[in-house]
Amino acid sequence: MAEQPVRQGAVYGVGAMALAGSSAAVLAGIAEYPALGGQALRYAGAAAVLLLLLRLRRIGHLRPTGRELARLTVVAATGLAGFNVCYVQAVRHADPASVGAVIGGLPVVLAVLDPLLRRRAPRPRLVAAALVVSGGVALTQGLGGGSPAGLAWALGALAGEVAFSLAALPLLPRYGPLRVSAYASVLSVPLLLGAALAFDGRGALPMPTAGQFASFVYLSVAVTALAFVLWYAAVARLGADRAGLCAGVAPASAVAAAWLLGTGAPTAADLAGAALVGLGVTAGLAGPRSRGRTGTAPVPARG
């Protein structure tokens, strides 16, 4: 793998997860808003932004084949809508720290599952780096506590995160990161609306306050639209197994955002966890290139 695509992929992956982690700083502003209805608004806003970007950049729409539409639907149903449903239910049955620690296993799962799906053996060096990253996440998050139901929902959220990358991977050479992000966001809105109505009924979509509206704008533009495009650009350049290492940046970003906003200060565990994440990401991305489809597909210049 050429050095420049690796550097670009690392920058994109770290940037995506830094934006994702920063969402913790604005979630307090929508804590009183129904969770699933809020996610439906968030993805509707992101879809509008991404479709506008496609138009402004004069990137034409593509007509998906039946298989491609099915794959896009899987991305929307699992990585977007499914993840949010599972996460909301998980934190109702378990401490958010324990849920975050479970989801923090994403680098390890991708490091093992991505090559296996390509009928290749996982690379020991990359798996070891992923274990270091996930250990750093667990140290930052803490282990917390919860019930078996909470663990099951957290594992469902982790599965959604995995599908968000792996299900979209074959679409990236033809569609590019921007189209994949836009189409998946569009497809997720009715799914999230349905889930919101099922769980919260008529109270699923109250009129947001000015503060809540501002929070939704940030979540739609930065944490969803921009972060999705950056993440898929990273996956296209690095492969899902190596890009997964960057997921460890999100918890450290959340701590940094809280510190910058004056709502929290990093603890010794936070600093140690961030150091482990940095060590794991550096070691994993410095490893030898992987052969095969992942990470080697051409990336559309305007996708």
Side-chain angles (χ1 to χ4, degrees), residues 118-137:
R118 292 181 286 114
R119 300 180 181 179
R120 297 183 180 276
R123 289 176 289 165
R125 174 174 178 153
L126 187 56
V127 174
L131 286 169
V132 172
V133 170
S134 293
V137 172

Side-chain angles (χ1 to χ4, degrees), residues 156-167:
L158 173 59
E161 284 278 61
V162 172
F164 179 72
S165 296
L166 295 184

Side-chain angles (χ1 to χ4, degrees), residues 87 90-103 141-145:
Y87 184 83
V91 297
R92 289 178 178 174
H93 295 87
D95 188 281
S98 63
V99 177
V102 171
I103 298 174
Q141 295 283 120
L143 297 179

